[in-house]
Amino acid sequence: MGTELTTGHEERLAEIEATLEKAAEAKARTAELEERMKRAFAAVCIHQMDSGKSAAAAEKYARSSKPYEDLSDQWIAANYESERLQSKVKANDLKIDVWRSLNATERAKMNLR
C-alpha cells in the first residue's frame, strides 16, 4: 500500500474540494439572505411607524409583509442546502479519518513483519 495518489484518489479529492466550495457558497448565501431579511424588516417597520402604527403593530406587519416573507422562504431553502452540504463535508471528514486509520493500521502491520 503506497502513499502515492491514484487517479481515483485525485478524483475523490476534487469532489471533496467542490463540496467544500459549494458549502462555503451556501453558507454565504444564507448570511446574505439573513442581512436582506433584516433590512426588509427594518424598512417596513420604519414605514409603518411613520404611518402612525405602534412599534408592535409595525413589527407584526413587517413579519407578514411580502418582501420579508419572500426572503424568509429563500433563507429556508438556502439554509437547508447549507446544512445538507455541511453534513456532506462532515461525512467526507469521517471517510478521511477512516482511510487514515486503515492506512496507519496497514503500515503498523508491515512494520511488524
Side-chain angles (χ1 to χ4, degrees):
M1 189 175 266
T3 57
E4 65 279 344
L5 291 177
T6 65
T7 303
H9 289 121
E10 289 175 359
E11 289 172 359
R12 186 69 183 122
L13 287 172
E15 289 173 19
I16 290 170
E17 184 178 356
T19 300
L20 287 167
E21 188 174 322
K22 287 177 187 175
E25 289 171 358
K27 185 176 180 180
R29 177 72 175 143
T30 301
E32 175 192 348
L33 287 167
E34 285 175 2
E35 187 60 33
R36 287 181 175 202
M37 287 171 61
K38 290 175 189 177
R39 289 180 186 176
F41 179 82
V44 173
C45 277
I46 290 168
H47 178 72
Q48 291 301 310
M49 288 190 293
D50 286 348
S51 300
K53 289 193 171 61
S54 69
E59 184 176 325
K60 283 182 183 179
Y61 189 86
R63 291 203 190 280
S64 64
S65 70
K66 182 73 171 140
Y68 187 84
E69 184 180 312
D70 289 345
L71 289 168
S72 179
D73 288 344
Q74 290 176 43
W75 180 87
I76 289 168
N79 189 57
Y80 172 81
E81 181 66 5
S82 179
E83 291 296 323
R84 185 185 72 77
L85 289 167
Q86 285 302 320
S87 293
K88 203 169 180 180
V89 167
K90 288 177 185 174
N92 285 334
D93 288 346
L94 290 172
K95 289 174 186 176
I96 289 169
D97 287 345
V98 168
W99 178 80
R100 284 181 183 151
S101 180
L102 290 173
N103 280 324
T105 301
E106 189 62 31
R107 283 191 305 275
K109 286 179 184 177
M110 291 178 83
N111 286 337
L112 292 174
R113 291 181 190 157

